[in-house]
């Protein structure tokens, strides 16, 4: 019996030793930093990261480069730090901004507060901007995303970045949806996904950079429309400019989405 207790005691001691050793003796391995898929933990972001986020939104989700590019559809923004003063003094200025940051935010969410001369919607004598409110509709940037874009624009223009990184915002989803996206089967959702409405009007809603599509199905057949989407520069709609429609829709869209969209467009009569 004594032997039995000795063995049990030995076993217990051994277990105690090893569990103690593994808890205290072996150095704890630091968990690896989360993979770089950008969890938007704004609280721990540096300003450089916040500006880089603004850059990505500018090129991506914000769709800004659809218009703000070298084709002259919209003003280039690199000199905004110098020219915004003149904007504020202009008699056509209807906004309430007093500094660059406020002017930029206003330009994003209330584009018609000031319309840069020569860039207004056709026929409005520069009273209305063709730029959509990027915090609403299909672009729908969150407040934090607008701030990030403004920080990026200030940085790009060589101005002091006055934006503060917001701390109390919910998650800002970034566009890893691109990879993991599932095919959409609702034409409205597809058009929202590809921000067609930033440029096209349907039944009174949308932009005027491209032709009104409200009756497009009466004017053209499916083959023409397919070509208009896949090779936008093959036929240029009268009165509109080439090189405006995104040219890579064919690569970005699922085949099924293209067909759903065409089903929808041919019925617009
Ligand atoms: C559909 C085309 C279009 C899109 C998309 C667009 N813009 Fe614009 N933007 C314009 C046009 C045209 C103007 C000039 C008319 C005006 O002042 O509103 C303009 C004006 C501006 C101005 C004021 C420029 C100045 O010189 O005063 C800023 C700032 C700006 N855009 C930023 C952005 C940002 C940032 C995005 C993306 C989040 C964006 N825009 C998306 C067309 C667009
Ligand atoms: C950045 C602006 C822009 C975006 C975004 C855009 N388009 Fe266009 N689109 C244009 C312009 C400008 C034209 C006219 C020039 C041309 O025919 O290429 C056009 C032409 C068209 C035409 C041919 C119209 C005609 O009368 O010949 C169709 C159809 C069309 N777009 C559908 C779409 C759909 C659907 C989407 C979204 C998947 C889309 N566009 C996104 C600017 C845009």
């Amino acid at each position: 019996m004594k032997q039995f207790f000795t063995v049990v005691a030995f076993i217990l001691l051994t277990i105690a030793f090893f569990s103690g050793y593994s808890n205290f003796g072996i150095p704890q391995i630091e968990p690896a930093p989360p993979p770089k898929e950008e969890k938007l933990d704004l609280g721990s972001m540096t300003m450089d990261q916040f500006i880089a986020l603004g850059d990505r939104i500018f090129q991506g989700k914000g769709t800004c480069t659809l218009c703000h590019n070298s084709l002259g559809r919209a003003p280039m923004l690199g000199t905004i730090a110098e020219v915004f003063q003149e904007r504020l003094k202009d008699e056509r200025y209807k906004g309430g901004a007093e500094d660059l940051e406020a002017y930029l935010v206003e330009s994003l969410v209330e584009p018609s507060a000031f319309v840069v001369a020569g860039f207004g919607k056709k026929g409005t004598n520069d009273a209305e901007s063709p730029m959509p409110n990027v915090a609403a509709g299909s672009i729908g940037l969150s407040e934090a995303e607008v701030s990030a874009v403004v920080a990026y624009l200030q940085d790009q223009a060589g101005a002091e970045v006055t934006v503060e990184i917001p701390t109390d915002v919910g998650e800002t989803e970034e566009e890893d949806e691109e990879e993991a996206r599932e095919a959409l089967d609702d034409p409205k959702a597809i058009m929202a996904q590809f921000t067609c409405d930033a440029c096209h009007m349907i039944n009174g809603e949308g932009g005027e950079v491209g032709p009104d599509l409200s009756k497009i199905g009466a004017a053209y057949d499916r083959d023409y429309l397919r070509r208009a989407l896949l090779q936008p520069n093959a036929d240029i709609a009268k009165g509109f400019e080439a090189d405006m429609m995104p040219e890579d829709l064919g690569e970005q869209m699922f085949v099924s989405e293209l067909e759903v969209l065409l089903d929808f467009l041919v019925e617009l009569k």
Side-chain angles (χ1 to χ4, degrees):
M1 202 61 185
K2 188 154 170 250
Q3 214 180 0
F4 175 75
F5 281 117
T6 316
V7 170
V8 168
F10 177 77
I11 290 172
L12 288 178
L13 265 174
T14 313
I15 292 173
F17 174 74
F18 277 108
S19 61
Y21 179 71
S22 61
N23 275 341
F24 304 109
I26 299 175
Q28 290 290 310
I29 297 165
E30 284 293 314
K36 228 183 163 337
E37 49 144 67
E38 206 89 42
K39 264 204 87 219
L40 285 192
D41 180 3
L42 291 164
S44 66
M45 239 185 211
T46 65
M47 188 47 91
D48 281 348
Q49 289 169 323
F50 195 55
I51 291 170
L53 170 66
D55 186 0
R56 285 195 301 282
I57 296 170
F58 190 81
Q59 319 283 345
K61 180 176 179 186
T63 70
C64 319
T65 50
L66 284 178
C67 302
H68 293 275
N69 56 37
S70 56
L71 298 167
R73 253 289 147 199
M76 294 307 275
L77 302 172
T79 55
I80 194 76
E82 289 110 63
V83 297
F84 90 97
Q85 299 278 11
E86 292 159 35
R87 310 268 193 258
L88 300 191
K89 278 185 246 149
D90 197 297
E91 54 180 20
R92 291 191 300 112
Y93 181 65
K94 292 183 291 206
E98 289 180 355
D99 57 23
L100 178 58
E101 178 180 335
Y103 178 71
L104 288 173
V105 173
E106 195 175 75
S107 296
L108 268 54
V109 303
E110 208 189 315
S112 294
F114 182 74
V115 180
V116 180
F119 285 102
K121 270 191 192 175
K122 280 194 203 109
T124 66
N125 201 14
D126 287 342
E128 269 179 65
S129 176
M131 174 168 155
N133 169 358
V134 297
S138 53
I139 305 176
L141 300 187
S142 69
E143 221 175 291
E145 288 170 326
V146 167
S147 297
V149 171
V150 168
Y152 165 71
L153 293 176
Q154 287 187 319
D155 186 60
Q156 280 292 296
E160 186 196 344
V161 178
T162 57
V163 177
E164 280 176 26
I165 302 175
T167 48
D168 57 342
V169 273
E171 88 302 2
T172 349
E173 19 114 23
E174 255 207 286
E175 37 180 305
D176 38 19
E177 23 175 298
E178 288 254 325
E179 297 145 34
R181 208 166 72 72
E182 282 186 21
L184 300 165
D185 53 15
D186 170 31
K188 299 249 162 64
I190 298 169
M191 299 194 59
Q193 170 80 21
F194 295 98
T195 56
C196 315
D197 65 340
C199 299
H200 292 285
M201 183 93 78
I202 295 183
N203 299 331
E205 272 183 50
E208 292 187 341
V209 174
D212 189 325
L213 300 179
S214 309
K215 297 201 166 76
I216 195 76
Y220 298 110
D221 65 12
R222 201 179 174 98
D223 285 339
Y224 176 94
L225 293 173
R226 184 191 306 274
R227 196 166 61 233
L229 296 182
L230 297 179
Q231 294 167 269
N233 288 333
D235 310 276
I236 305 303
K238 242 208 167 111
F240 293 90
E241 285 169 41
D243 292 325
M244 285 303 302
M245 272 278 288
E247 280 190 82
D248 57 352
L249 286 175
E251 283 140 53
Q252 294 189 31
M253 258 184 211
F254 288 95
V255 177
S256 64
E257 291 178 330
L258 178 66
E259 298 308 322
V260 171
L261 199 48
L262 289 171
D263 290 343
F264 174 74
L265 292 174
V266 291
E267 290 303 323
L268 290 175
K269 291 183 174 160

